[in-house]
Amino acid sequence: MSPDEISPLLICLDLEAGSERLIDYAARHARRCALPLRVLHVSRATLDETKRQEILVRIHKLIDRPLAGLSLEAIDIEPGAPEDVIIEVARRHDINLILLGRRHRSTVERIYVGSTTSTIISLATRPVLVVPVGVAGGSGK
């Protein structure tokens, strides 16, 4: 990245309930700070081209209106463990800020499922901004 380029904000989308809130926050932050954007979706499964295109359509439905007029560098859809992929993408693209959504989970879910957000916070070498996007049993809005 050249010295004149501004490193982007990385929006990590899981496409679950509440993703709209994360996109809306990212759009406001990017406008306020004049940051370019990069969107990342990580799939734990390997995706064929048909599934990849389905995910891309879902992402565009979420982002096209709220991110209109902003600089969108790329939409990345990558396979792997979310925490590993997010950290690697942030490093590879010299990300300014990693933006994650956090849902309120039950105690049992937190104990047995773990938290991608917690792992990223502990591993990231870039700033991480966590946006609450919903509550357990709620609509996420």
Side-chain angles (χ1 to χ4, degrees):
M1 181 166 293
S2 77
D4 293 338
E5 291 182 65
I6 299 172
S7 60
L9 171 81
L10 180 64
I11 307 167
C12 303
L13 282 181
D14 60 11
L15 300 175
E16 291 184 21
S19 292
E20 302 87 5
R21 288 187 68 175
L22 182 63
I23 291 296
D24 288 343
Y25 184 88
R28 287 191 311 271
H29 189 74
R31 280 187 178 88
R32 187 172 41 246
C33 298
L35 291 173
L37 299 163
R38 184 171 204 101
V39 174
L40 172 64
H41 172 77
V42 181
S43 173
R44 289 189 183 275
T46 303
L47 302 172
D48 62 22
E49 191 55 34
T50 301
K51 186 66 177 166
R52 180 178 293 278
Q53 288 304 313
E54 289 171 6
I55 290 170
L56 189 58
V57 166
R58 289 180 64 199
I59 290 170
H60 275 290
K61 284 181 182 178
L62 274 172
I63 70 170
D64 285 352
R65 183 170 292 143
L67 302 186
L70 292 169
S71 173
L72 180 62
E73 286 191 354
I75 298 173
D76 299 310
I77 301 171
E78 298 203 15
E83 46 281 328
D84 296 335
V85 173
I86 291 167
I87 295 298
E88 173 56 24
V89 167
R91 184 202 59 75
R92 186 179 341 137
H93 296 287
D94 193 26
I95 294 299
N96 180 295
L97 177 68
I98 301 169
L99 187 59
L100 302 169
R102 178 186 52 81
R103 288 171 193 81
H104 298 282
R105 303 282 190 195
S106 70
T107 302
V108 172
E109 286 178 307
R110 285 192 313 267
I111 290 169
Y112 292 108
V113 177
S115 169
T116 299
T117 301
S118 295
T119 302
I120 292 168
I121 290 169
S122 63
L123 295 176
T125 59
R126 309 281 196 273
V128 177
L129 180 60
V130 180
V131 178
V133 295
V135 294
S139 68
K141 292 186 178 182

